[in-house]
Every structure is written in structure tokens, then in C-alpha cells.
Amino acid sequence: MKATYKNISEILRLNRFVVIAVTTLCLLTSGFSLWTAHRAQQTLLESAFAVNTDGSVIPLKLVTQRENLEVEARSHLQLFHQYFYGIDESNYERNLEKALWLGDGSVDEAYRQKRADGVYNRLLQYSLVEKIIEIRIQLEMSNEPYGFQVETCFEIDRGTVTDRYRLVTTGKLIHVDRHFPNNTHGLLITDFFEKSLRKLENEDIPK
């Protein structure tokens, strides 16, 4: 009888040891899995990947992407202002169509207001030429949407007379899907507003 109790006691101790061992192993495995997942997430957050033409995978650091973002934002705004304000009777429809791809309804509203004011009719009637002289861009890239202010200096050639103006526009930039070839930077202008327009005197003209 004592031997039987002894055997049962040994079995219970063995079962207890097995339970403790399995529980400990499960906890260690779960901890290792969580650590591995965390490391993988951090690696993913720090890197992006692109497929090269030969099929190889190229890692792209997000730090580099952030540095490139400002370059793309400036290029996006440069293109928009070139298209929207650098127009003449031969290219205005094509340029405006390209410009409208780069902004949301606020840009379309500005376009419709100009059309209602007869800006494009006068362009055709008097064969006017709007030529961009200089574009200065200020960006706030700390948080999305990214704020901007752009000073665009342009001239209007009326044939015998050329007038020069400085226009200040403001707005914000947000990320959207890239659309080739209409919106290659994957950015969209929102809250677009023509803040001020001033005719330049000779001393104000950029050299």
C-alpha cells in the first residue's frame, strides 16, 4: 500500500514538473515571438522595398524618403504654378488640365472663378502671354497636411506693354496615390487660396 502511495506521489510530482516546464516553455516561446514581431515591425518601419528591373529587391530607408519628400513637394508646387499661371492662347487648355490633376476642388474652384471673371477669354481676345519669372516656395513639413506659401512672379505680355506681378498663394499638401503621368509625385494641393496680387514697379522686378 505504501508503495502504491509512493508511486502516485511520484507521478503527481512528475506531472507537476511537466506542467511547470510546458508553461515556462510556452511563456518563453510567446515572449520570443513577441520580440521577433517587434523587431520585424521596427525593421519594416525603417525600410521600404522596391523591385529593380532585374527582379532584385532594393531596400529604401524611410529617412531617405523623408528627405526626398521635400524635394518632391517643391517640384509638385513648381509644376502646378508653372501650369496654372504660365499660359498663353496656344497652351492654356493643356496646361490647365495638367494643373487640375495636381489639386483638389479648391484648385478647381479657383479655375472656375477665373473663367467666370473672363480671364481666359481676355487671354484669347488679346493674345496675352503669361510668363513665369520666378517661383519662391516656403514649406512646413513637420506634420501632414504640409502647409505652403508660394510667391510667383510673372509677367503679362500685351504686345507693346509688359506688366509684371507678384502673386502669393497658400494651401496644404497631402499624400495621394501616384498617378502616372498626371500626378507623379503622389501629392495633392488642398485649401488653395490666392492670398494677394501686386503689380510690380521697376525696382521690384527680380534680377
Side-chain angles (χ1 to χ4, degrees):
M1 195 69 175
K2 289 183 179 179
T4 302
Y5 286 138
K6 183 178 180 181
N7 291 338
I8 293 175
S9 178
E10 290 178 352
I11 292 173
L12 290 175
R13 280 198 299 269
L14 179 62
N15 287 345
R16 181 181 176 186
F17 173 78
V18 170
V19 170
I20 293 174
V22 170
T23 302
T24 303
L25 182 62
C26 289
L27 290 174
L28 291 174
T29 303
S30 299
F32 180 75
S33 299
L34 290 173
W35 179 79
T36 302
H38 177 71
R39 284 291 302 275
Q41 183 185 25
Q42 289 299 113
T43 302
L44 183 62
L45 288 174
E46 292 174 358
S47 302
F49 299 90
V51 179
N52 199 2
T53 54
D54 61 0
S56 60
V57 177
I58 305 172
L60 302 173
K61 293 297 183 181
L62 286 182
V63 173
T64 303
Q65 290 182 332
R66 293 189 188 100
E67 291 173 352
N68 291 339
L69 175 59
E70 183 172 349
V71 175
E72 290 204 74
R74 290 183 179 278
S75 179
H76 188 87
L77 293 170
Q78 180 94 14
L79 276 178
F80 170 76
H81 286 80
Q82 287 281 0
Y83 287 146
F84 204 63
Y85 298 105
I87 56 177
D88 58 41
E89 61 179 338
S90 66
N91 69 12
Y92 84 97
E93 289 183 328
R94 181 174 64 255
N95 278 13
L96 291 174
E97 181 181 357
K98 291 178 180 179
L100 291 174
W101 272 98
L102 306 180
D104 69 352
S106 61
V107 171
D108 185 64
E109 184 178 345
Y111 159 70
R112 292 177 183 276
Q113 185 61 52
K114 288 178 179 293
R115 189 174 63 178
D117 292 340
V119 170
Y120 307 120
N121 286 337
R122 290 193 295 273
L123 187 79
L124 296 175
Q125 183 178 356
Y126 300 107
S127 299
L128 304 179
V129 176
E130 287 189 14
K131 180 182 177 182
I132 302 297
I133 300 174
E134 182 183 33
I135 296 177
R136 296 180 180 178
I137 299 171
Q138 298 178 24
L139 286 168
E140 174 52 59
M141 302 295 295
S142 57
N143 292 295
E144 188 176 352
Y146 312 111
F148 69 81
Q149 177 172 292
V150 179
E151 291 186 10
T152 304
C153 183
F154 64 94
E155 63 181 22
I156 299 180
D157 186 352
R158 309 178 190 276
T160 58
V161 178
T162 299
D163 295 323
R164 293 175 174 83
Y165 299 86
R166 172 162 287 142
L167 172 70
V168 177
T169 56
T170 60
K172 298 176 181 177
L173 286 172
I174 61 172
H175 277 103
V176 293
D177 292 336
R178 294 179 189 267
H179 189 289
F180 297 91
N182 297 309
N183 189 339
T184 57
H185 295 114
L187 296 168
L188 194 71
I189 296 171
T190 67
D191 299 332
F192 181 71
F193 180 64
E194 292 182 342
K195 184 177 180 181
S196 65
L197 177 64
R198 181 170 68 91
K199 186 176 180 179
L200 298 177
E201 303 300 332
N202 290 333
E203 61 271 17
D204 297 325
I205 298 172
K207 304 300 183 182

